[in-house]
Amino acid sequence: MADKIDVENPNTPAKTTRVDAAKYTAMKTAILAVVPSGPAGHTAARIKADVLPLLPDALFPAGATAGWWLKCVQLDLEAKGVMTRHTTKPLTFSLV
């Protein structure tokens, strides 16, 4: 059985979900490498484009499921206070 990690969601604060630890960690590392701090932020589309080359092909062959994992980790980082969303149009995200 694969190692799992608990993730949080700011929209449902009392609930956690268990997900694959290797994929979570790979996506988190990539997100932290590309998302800036401060009010400028990046859109979700830009973050996805920037993280794709950083993801291991063994876990994300040809970027498969990267969008789902990006959202999963982004929401978890928001819930943990590591990442914030800005009320811009389109939404932008930055590290706290």
Side-chain angles (χ1 to χ4, degrees):
M1 186 166 161
D3 289 334
K4 300 285 185 173
I5 189 168
D6 288 328
V7 294
E8 301 174 51
N9 184 323
N11 301 316
T12 54
K15 182 182 176 194
T16 60
T17 304
R18 294 185 57 75
V19 298
D20 181 274
K23 288 185 177 184
Y24 175 91
T25 302
M27 181 60 76
K28 180 181 175 185
T29 300
I31 288 173
L32 294 176
V34 302
V35 175
S37 298
H42 287 338
T43 64
R46 175 158 180 199
I47 295 168
K48 184 176 180 183
D50 290 349
V51 300
L52 282 175
L54 304 177
L55 298 173
D57 204 45
L59 296 175
F60 300 94
T65 70
W68 186 90
W69 282 98
L70 172 62
K71 190 64 173 180
C72 172
V73 175
Q74 171 241 309
L75 288 169
D76 184 59
L77 293 177
E78 280 188 71
K80 289 177 168 65
V82 174
M83 183 181 247
T84 190
R85 75 175 67 194
H86 304 281
T87 54
T88 55
K89 295 220 182 233
L91 284 175
T92 56
F93 303 89
S94 64
L95 300 178
V96 177

